[in-house]
Amino acid sequence: MNGARTGTLASLRGSIARIEAPSEAAMPNRIALGHTSADAMLRGGLAPAALHEVFAAGHQGGAATGFIAGLAGRVSARKPLVWVRQDFSDRENGALSMRGLAELGLDPRLLVTVRAADVDSGLRTAADALACDALGAVVLEIWGHARQLDLVASRKLTLAAQASGVTALVLRIAATAIPSTAETRWIVRAAHSPPGNAACAWGAPRFEAELVRNRHGPVGRWIMEWKCDECQFSEPSAYPQPVAATPAHRPHQAQARTGHRLAS
Amino acid sequence: MVAKDHNAILLHAIDEAAVRAGLSIGLPLANARAICPELTVYDADPAADLKTLNDIADWCDRFTPLVALDTLDGLFLDITGCAHLFGGERALLQIVTNALSRRGFAVSAAIAGTSIAARTLTRTASGQIIADGAEAEAVGPLPVSALGADATITTGLRRAGLKTIGDVASRAPHEISARFGADFTTLLGHALGRGDAPISPRKPLPDYIVEKRFPEPIATDTVIALTLSSLAKTLVAAMDKQGKGARQLEASFFRTDGAVRVILVETGRPVTRPEMIDRLFRERLDALNDPLDPGFGFDLIRLAAGRTEIVVQQQRDLDTTVHDNDEISALIDRIAARIGGKRVVVHLPLESHIPERAALALPAQHHLAAASAAAWPERVAGEPPLRPLRLFERPEPIKVPFASVPDGPPHQFTWRRALHAVVRVEGPERIAMEWWKQDGAALTRDYFRVEDAEGQRFWIFRDGLYESELRDEEGRPVPANWYVHGLFA
C-alpha cells in the first residue's frame, strides 16, 4: 500500500517533470533586458516566443509606449517589427513618431505599421503576423477595455508565438488587466528624472515598471532607465537602490519544483 | 421619354407603339400630345441609362475582354478569336440577342469586319453577319442616317440628293471632304470596310486570363474556392512559361442573372505560387463588407492577371535574408488583401524640419524596398531623446494660466481637463514654419520639453513669437496659444 502510493507519486512527479521540461529547457535563450535585478527575477530575461503584456498606468500612454518599444527593441534583435495599432489609439495618444523611435535607438526602417480599424481586425492581424517567423516581434496596441481580448484570444496569440518563435507584445492603454495566458505582465508609469539642477536634468527615459505577473517566478517593481545608445534597459543612474520595496511574498515555485525532483 | 433641350421639352426616346402612332424622336412634347393624346411620358435619366449600359457591358465581358461603349446606346465587342468558343459567329450573335431580349431590351446586333460597318448595320436591321470585304455591298443600300454622323451632315447629304450610303460612296472622296469635312470621309471609309478605327475598351486588357464555365450554376463557397484554386494553378502555369508573376489579380464572378462582381487583389511583389493566390483571395473574400452573393449561382468565374512582372529567380536555400524578405512581403500582401493596402504602411523620411512633416507613411506593398533603404537622421549619441515618441496628428490645445516671463515656459498647464505642474523644462527649441511655401499665416513655434510632477514628459509649444508675431489689428500684443504636440517616453 505504502509502496504503491510512493510509486504513484513518483510516476506523477515524473509526468509533471515532463510537462514542465520545455519551459525549463527554454531558459538559456532568454533575452536579458539589461536591468540586473529584473533579469534575475525573470531568470535571465524576457522569454522569447511568448506573450507579454504591458499596461499603461492610468492614461500614461507615452511611458508605456516607450517601455514596450524598448522590449521590442531587445527581443527583435535587428529583425523587422510589425506594430498593429488601433485607429482610435492614434487619435487618443498620438501616432508613433519615427523620429522619436530613432531617438530611442530603434530603427524606423525595420518597422511595418498596420492600422487596424477595430480590436477584432487588430487581433486577427497580430495572429497572422505572429505566424511569420521572419519577424522579430509583433506589437499589438489596443486602447481601452477590449472584451474581445479574453483568455481564448490571448491563448491564440501565445500558441502562434510558440509555433513561430516570434515574441508577442501587447500594449494596453486605459485598460484594466483581465486573466490571460501572458508570460509576464507589466504596469508601467513614468518615473521622475533624477534630482539635480532643474535646467539640465532632462535625461534618458525612465520608467517605473511593476512586474505584476510572472508565470515562472516572483514579481517585483523597479525603476528602469532606457539607454538609447546601447539600446537596453539599466538601473537608474542616480538612484542606486530601488525606490519601492520588492514585494517578494510569492514563493519561487520553479525553484521549489527543482528541489522536489532532486529529492525523488 | 422626354428630355429638356433649350427650354423645349422634346421626345428623347420612344417605343414601337409610338412609332406606329406617327411620333418621332426630337418632336416637341406638345406636338406629340396633339398627335397622340394618350401618350405616357417619363423623364429621361441619362445617368441611369449609362449605368444600365455599363451593366450590360459587364455582362458582355463574358464573351470577350474587349468591350467598348459607343455613345449612349451602343456597345462594341471585339470578338476576334473568341467566336469559336461559342459555336461560331452566328451562334454567338444569337446568344447575345436572345439573352438581352429576354431581359426586355430592344436589341439590334450585327457582326462585320470593322466596328463602324457593324454599327451602321445595326441601325437598320439586326442579325446580319458580313464577311470581310463584303462591307461596301452590304452597307451601300442603307440610308445615310445609319452612318451616325452629325445631324447637319445627314441633312446636308439628303439635301444634296445623296440618300443612300452607296450614293455617297459613288462620289469622289475629295468632293465629299470639301463639303462635309475629312472626318466624315474617314467615317465613310470605315463603314465601307476601308480601314478600321480601333475601339477603346472599357478596361485595359489583362496580361493573362483563365476562366471556367459551368453548365449548371454553382453557388456554394466550397465549389467557388475549389474553382478559384484550380484557376490559380492554370494561371500560374501560363505565367510560369514566360517567367512572369502577377502584381494585380482580378477575379470576376458572373451571375446567371447578369450581375457581375469583380474582386481585385494587389500584391507587393510578383506572385508565382498558386497557393498564394488562393490564400490572398480567401482573405479578401472573408473580409468583404458585402459578401459575395451567388443569387441563383455563378455560371462563369474568371481569373485574370491585370499586371504582371518578370520574376527574378533568386537562390533561396543559402541566403536567409532573401527568404525572410519573401516571407515578410507575403505577410504584408495577406494583411493588405484583408484590411486594405492603405492600412499597412512603412515609413519614409521627408526633408522637412516641421515635426509633423518629417515622415511619410506609404503603403508597404509598394514601398517596402525604399523604406528598408531609407536614410533617417542619425541620433546624437549621449543626448536624451530630442523628439517625442508619440506625436499628435494635430497639436492639442492646452490652457496655460501664466508664464513667469512672457516668452518663457509655463509653470503649469491644463491638458484634457487635468492639471500638470511643470517640474523640469528644457528649451526653447525654435522651429519656424516654411515661409517660402505659404503666406504669412503660419507662426513660429517655440518648443519646450517639460516634465510634470508625476514624471510624464510632454512636448509643448507656444504658437507665435511673443510681441513680434502676436499682435491684433491695432498692434497690441495678444496672449499666445499653447499646444501639446507629443509625448516622450
Side-chain angles (χ1 to χ4, degrees):
Chain A
M1 175 76 181
N2 207 4
R5 188 174 281 172
T6 325
T8 318
L9 267 179
S11 71
L12 279 175
R13 275 185 193 137
S15 54
I16 290 172
R18 272 198 302 283
I19 295 166
E20 295 289 335
S23 61
E24 297 286 321
M27 289 298 160
N29 57 16
R30 296 226 162 183
I31 296 154
L33 297 181
H35 188 280
T36 323
S37 55
D39 281 341
M41 210 70 97
L42 291 165
R43 309 183 70 202
L46 210 62
L51 173 70
H52 303 277
E53 292 179 331
V54 175
F55 283 76
H59 288 247
Q60 294 193 3
T65 312
F67 186 74
I68 208 162
L71 292 186
R74 291 301 299 158
V75 298
S76 67
R78 314 290 306 157
K79 279 173 124 186
L81 175 70
V82 169
W83 194 299
V84 184
R85 203 163 58 226
Q86 212 184 336
D87 277 349
F88 189 67
S89 199
D90 264 17
R91 285 197 287 279
E92 201 60 31
N93 283 292
L96 204 64
S97 152
M98 292 306 118
R99 282 292 305 279
L101 209 60
E103 292 280 358
L104 287 184
L106 304 174
D107 192 348
R109 288 175 294 191
L110 297 174
L111 182 78
V112 177
T113 307
V114 180
R115 297 176 184 143
D118 49 30
V119 179
D120 288 316
S121 118
L123 270 173
R124 185 140 182 222
T125 309
D128 252 16
L130 279 172
C132 177
D133 56 9
L135 297 176
V138 176
V139 180
L140 173 64
E141 178 181 329
I142 303 235
W143 196 94
H145 301 283
R147 182 173 45 74
Q148 296 94 327
L149 207 66
D150 54 5
L151 259 176
V152 179
S154 71
R155 181 92 191 124
K156 272 186 193 161
L157 293 181
T158 305
L159 287 177
Q162 276 172 357
S164 65
V166 180
T167 312
L169 301 167
V170 177
L171 172 60
R172 304 286 308 273
I173 300 169
T176 47
I178 51 168
S180 75
T181 59
E183 176 76 25
T184 62
R185 183 181 298 140
W186 304 79
I187 293 179
V188 177
R189 64 181 74 241
H192 294 284
S193 292
N197 183 5
C200 61
W202 182 275
R206 273 166 175 261
F207 312 104
E208 188 183 326
E210 191 182 349
L211 181 62
V212 292
R213 178 193 159 93
N214 180 7
R215 281 188 71 184
H216 296 104
V219 294
R221 180 179 189 152
W222 306 275
I223 298 279
M224 292 193 188
E225 197 169 288
W226 175 253
K227 298 274 183 207
C228 302
D229 296 318
E230 290 91 43
C231 197
Q232 63 170 28
F233 291 97
S234 76
E235 280 79 14
S237 40
Y239 296 112
Q241 75 283 5
V243 279
T246 309
H249 48 76
R250 219 176 117 174
H252 199 312
Q253 296 165 346
Q255 210 67 55
R257 270 196 298 272
T258 321
H260 273 296
R261 200 159 31 255
L262 284 176
S264 61
Chain B
M1 291 279 186
V2 293
K4 204 166 186 181
D5 180 34
H6 289 97
N7 281 337
I9 298 175
L10 305 179
L11 295 195
H12 179 70
I14 52 177
D15 65 0
E16 281 176 20
V19 176
R20 279 197 299 276
L23 305 185
S24 61
I25 292 169
L27 203 67
L29 179 62
N31 298 10
R33 281 250 162 80
I35 296 169
C36 177
E38 59 273 19
L39 200 62
T40 322
V41 178
Y42 303 96
D43 280 335
D45 184 350
D49 285 351
L50 191 64
K51 192 183 168 300
T52 312
L53 192 64
N54 266 309
D55 287 347
I56 298 174
D58 278 343
W59 176 79
C60 286
D61 276 340
R62 64 174 60 214
F63 300 112
T64 163
L66 293 171
V67 177
L69 299 181
D70 175 41
T71 59
L72 291 174
D73 54 358
L75 289 177
F76 286 128
L77 273 67
D78 187 341
I79 55 161
T80 316
C82 301
H84 70 277
L85 298 172
F86 303 91
E89 291 180 344
R90 182 151 304 278
L92 176 57
L93 196 65
Q94 206 68 41
I95 294 172
V96 176
T97 0
N98 286 352
L100 288 174
S101 316
R102 251 202 323 270
R103 297 209 168 84
F105 295 108
V107 199
S108 171
I111 296 178
T114 69
S115 54
I116 301 297
R119 186 178 73 182
T120 312
L121 288 167
T122 60
R123 295 275 158 84
T124 51
S126 178
Q128 296 192 58
I129 298 174
I130 306 301
D132 270 358
E135 285 91 356
E137 236 171 90
V139 171
L142 303 182
V144 284
S145 61
L147 274 176
D150 280 353
T152 46
I153 296 183
T154 314
T155 339
L157 287 167
R158 209 176 289 133
R159 287 210 183 123
L162 303 170
K163 293 224 166 44
T164 66
I165 297 172
D167 291 345
V168 186
S170 64
R171 314 295 301 193
H174 64 89
E175 291 174 20
I176 302 289
S177 343
R179 174 71 178 80
F180 298 107
D183 286 350
F184 179 70
T185 327
T186 324
L187 181 74
L188 186 68
H190 290 165
L192 295 170
R194 295 195 291 266
D196 193 6
I199 64 171
S200 49
R202 297 185 311 144
K203 299 170 188 163
L205 190 61
D207 294 353
Y208 296 88
I209 297 183
V210 290
E211 62 186 30
K212 196 168 173 75
R213 279 162 204 281
F214 304 96
E216 193 69 24
I218 57 159
T220 56
D221 288 347
T222 42
V223 184
I224 293 172
L226 277 176
T227 313
L228 269 182
S229 51
S230 78
L231 285 176
K233 281 197 193 96
T234 327
L235 184 72
V236 166
M239 291 193 301
D240 205 30
K241 276 184 200 147
Q242 292 166 359
K244 297 270 187 81
R247 284 291 306 275
Q248 192 190 60
L249 290 155
E250 201 182 84
S252 317
F253 301 88
F254 292 77
R255 237 160 67 171
T256 38
D257 61 357
V260 182
R261 182 77 187 270
V262 178
I263 285 163
L264 199 74
V265 170
E266 277 192 292
T267 65
R269 61 173 51 194
V271 181
T272 51
R273 293 203 315 258
E275 56 271 29
M276 182 98 166
I277 298 182
D278 210 19
R279 180 142 189 210
L280 286 176
F281 274 108
R282 214 164 48 230
E283 298 278 5
R284 188 85 191 85
L285 290 175
D286 277 353
L288 284 179
N289 286 334
D290 42 342
L292 208 58
D293 174 19
F296 293 109
F298 299 116
D299 59 354
L300 168 64
I301 295 181
R302 171 182 292 166
L303 187 64
R307 220 171 49 234
T308 53
E309 261 178 23
I310 291 181
V311 182
V312 185
Q313 293 294 337
Q314 278 174 305
Q315 174 102 22
R316 275 156 199 281
D317 301 335
L318 297 175
D319 192 352
T320 52
T321 54
V322 172
H323 172 75
D324 282 4
N325 284 344
D326 279 357
E327 290 270 306
I328 289 164
S329 43
L331 171 72
I332 290 171
D333 286 345
R334 279 202 303 276
I335 299 175
R338 195 172 63 243
I339 65 173
K342 284 190 186 144
R343 287 187 165 275
V344 189
V345 292
V346 287
H347 306 270
L348 284 173
L350 271 187
E351 288 289 331
S352 172
H353 63 278
I354 314 271
E356 59 265 38
R357 289 189 210 137
L360 195 64
L362 290 170
Q365 281 185 310
H366 307 296
H367 299 93
L368 190 62
S372 56
W376 287 90
E378 288 284 313
R379 71 169 247 102
V380 185
E383 281 284 318
L386 302 176
R387 288 283 178 273
L389 182 58
R390 306 202 70 133
L391 200 66
F392 290 107
E393 196 180 341
R394 51 186 62 213
E396 299 199 353
I398 50 176
K399 267 189 228 135
V400 171
F402 65 91
S404 56
V405 275
D407 52 356
H411 289 299
Q412 59 182 47
F413 62 91
T414 313
W415 176 54
R416 291 185 179 168
R417 286 181 288 174
L419 186 70
H420 299 271
V422 174
V423 177
R424 285 157 205 281
V425 186
E426 182 82 29
E429 179 184 352
R430 183 160 294 176
I431 296 181
M433 294 296 108
E434 292 167 328
W435 48 265
W436 58 93
K437 277 193 184 163
Q438 52 207 342
D439 45 13
L443 301 173
T444 308
R445 298 172 182 173
D446 271 353
Y447 278 93
F448 294 91
R449 291 176 277 156
V450 301
E451 185 178 311
D452 75 355
E454 289 179 1
Q456 295 190 71
R457 296 167 175 192
F458 302 90
W459 207 35
I460 62 171
F461 71 88
R462 188 190 57 240
D463 203 19
L465 294 180
Y466 188 75
E467 289 215 319
S468 62
E469 284 183 352
L470 296 168
R471 280 177 185 281
D472 57 10
E473 295 86 41
E474 283 138 44
R476 286 190 301 258
V478 292
N481 291 322
W482 286 83
Y483 297 90
V484 54
H485 200 171
L487 307 173
F488 285 94

